[in-house]
Amino acid sequence: MKIIKETVGGEGAALAAGDLELIGALARRPLAREEVYTFSVRLCDNEIDRDFERFLPQTLEELAPMFVGKSGIFDHQWSARGQAARIYKTEVIREPERLTRAGDGYCWLKGYAYMVCTGSSRDLIAEIEGGIKKEVSVGCSVERSICSVCGCDRTVTDCGHEKGQEYGGQLCWAELEGASDAYEFSFVAVPAQPMAGVVKSARRGGGQAMARLEEEAALGRKYLENLRGEVVRLALLADRELDGRAVKSLTDKLSPAELEELKKSFARRTGEKFPLKTQLQYEAGSAAFDEENRAFLA
Ligand SMILES: [Zn+2]
């Protein structure tokens, strides 16, 4: 079962003792400290994501060595100049004090990547150092997808439980188990407001699949941004005492299903309160959102 996840990544990382040896082994020639630029990437974690899937800590441990030596490609602007990065080291970072929605300690797979410095890599390095957020698409394969409600393997049995639904108060999600392969990762430029989002698509190999994935990711972000904007607007309409910023930051933490629910409920309430005005403001509001998002997508 092939999986592609998106995460937010790209942060400068200092060289540690022994790193140059690891890098030299991959590059098949010794490289001097001045010749390489290193940075870290958040590859994947054990939080339940927007597809209601998560990697088990054990799966992250299995993926860790598989990502070593894998290449990272940058979006069109950069790949045209032949930029590539390579993961030379990985580690599973455990943050036990932070609990996942599944109730266990948070952990994530951190990848350390290097680039060989050339004249044209200077701008890219400045972008990473400057903290411009990039989304990272990460691909891997797992053998099993275990239903959190009944424990069946969803790749062989259809138990009928739907991810994201609750059964007797228990949320249904899928646990991705048995890592079998890891693929290259790619950086996708994010226009604005990157969400710690996750987009998955069947991997068909090659650049075409990546391009399609990028397109889907952009559409998904537009939909979510619209939805969040709508919820904030309706919430403020329903209760003018609310703090807009607080509502906005709350919507950033909600899943699409939760946002749809809220939107319905607020729409009902505002519909009762302001039957005529709502319609007008709704149209004005959504048009403004479309304008904004067109600018992001351009
Ligand atoms: Zn099930």
Side-chain angles (χ1 to χ4, degrees):
M1 180 186 167
K2 294 184 175 179
I3 304 274
I4 292 181
K5 297 287 184 191
E6 291 204 347
T7 175
V8 175
E11 191 185 19
L15 271 179
D19 280 5
L20 277 177
E21 286 70 24
L22 294 174
I23 292 169
L26 286 171
R28 296 211 183 91
R29 74 176 172 96
L31 287 165
R33 181 173 288 266
E34 313 77 62
E35 284 182 279
V36 295
Y37 171 70
T38 53
F39 60 98
S40 69
V41 179
R42 186 179 290 254
L43 292 168
C44 36
D45 63 21
N46 68 333
E47 184 55 279
I48 299 171
D49 64 30
R50 283 161 200 270
D51 298 324
F52 293 97
E53 291 182 345
R54 72 174 195 135
F55 293 97
L56 286 183
Q58 175 61 31
T59 314
L60 297 177
E61 295 283 0
E62 292 161 6
L63 283 170
M66 293 177 183
F67 271 109
V68 174
K70 293 296 182 299
S71 297
I73 48 169
F74 294 90
D75 55 19
H76 315 300
Q77 196 195 343
W78 295 112
S79 53
R81 298 184 206 177
Q83 284 301 329
R86 210 159 178 204
I87 296 178
Y88 64 91
K89 178 172 85 173
T90 53
E91 65 178 316
V92 176
I93 308 280
R94 294 179 186 273
E95 299 176 17
E97 66 286 351
R98 177 179 161 190
L99 295 184
T100 66
R101 273 180 86 184
D104 54 355
Y106 180 71
C107 55
W108 56 285
L109 180 56
K110 184 175 188 176
Y112 294 83
Y114 77 92
M115 280 179 357
V116 177
C117 294
T118 62
S120 64
S121 57
R122 211 175 304 130
D123 291 348
L124 178 54
I125 291 170
E127 245 187 78
I128 295 172
E129 287 286 302
I132 293 178
K133 296 288 188 207
K134 297 256 173 190
E135 263 180 25
V136 183
S137 272
V138 177
C140 65
S141 273
V142 296
E143 283 158 5
R144 298 176 297 281
S145 169
I146 304 297
C147 173
S148 67
V149 175
C150 68
C152 83
D153 181 354
R154 304 172 62 104
T155 61
V156 285
T157 319
D158 180 10
C159 61
H161 293 126
E162 288 204 27
K163 290 185 287 182
Q165 299 298 313
E166 287 197 2
Y167 297 90
Q170 193 193 344
L171 181 66
C172 175
W173 70 83
E175 312 226 275
L176 304 175
E177 287 186 10
S180 53
D181 207 354
Y183 310 108
E184 80 273 15
F185 62 102
S186 84
F187 282 85
V188 184
V190 180
Q193 283 282 319
M195 53 179 200
V198 175
V199 169
K200 187 180 49 123
S201 132
R203 188 192 162 82
R204 289 181 188 159
Q208 230 177 351
M210 269 311 169
R212 207 173 60 97
L213 181 71
E214 285 174 34
E215 226 172 78
E216 285 175 3
L219 284 173
R221 276 194 297 274
K222 181 180 153 79
Y223 156 75
L224 261 178
E225 277 309 305
N226 278 335
L227 188 55
R228 288 206 182 95
E230 264 303 281
V231 169
V232 172
R233 201 183 57 76
L234 287 167
L236 294 178
L237 208 59
D239 183 353
R240 289 172 189 277
E241 307 291 306
L242 283 175
D243 174 355
R245 279 229 305 266
V247 178
K248 172 80 179 63
S249 94
L250 175 72
T251 62
D252 288 342
K253 298 183 184 74
L254 297 177
S255 70
E258 290 167 328
L259 286 167
E260 287 285 8
E261 265 314 299
L262 264 183
K263 182 179 152 187
K264 261 188 254 164
S265 136
F266 280 132
R268 257 198 315 274
R269 283 175 59 189
T270 52
E272 282 156 19
K273 249 171 141 178
F274 310 100
L276 270 174
K277 235 171 149 190
T278 303
Q279 190 58 37
L280 289 170
Q281 293 196 0
Y282 179 89
E283 280 167 13
S286 60
F289 267 102
D290 280 352
E291 272 314 309
E292 264 175 48
N293 280 298
R294 250 197 295 281
F296 291 158
L297 288 170

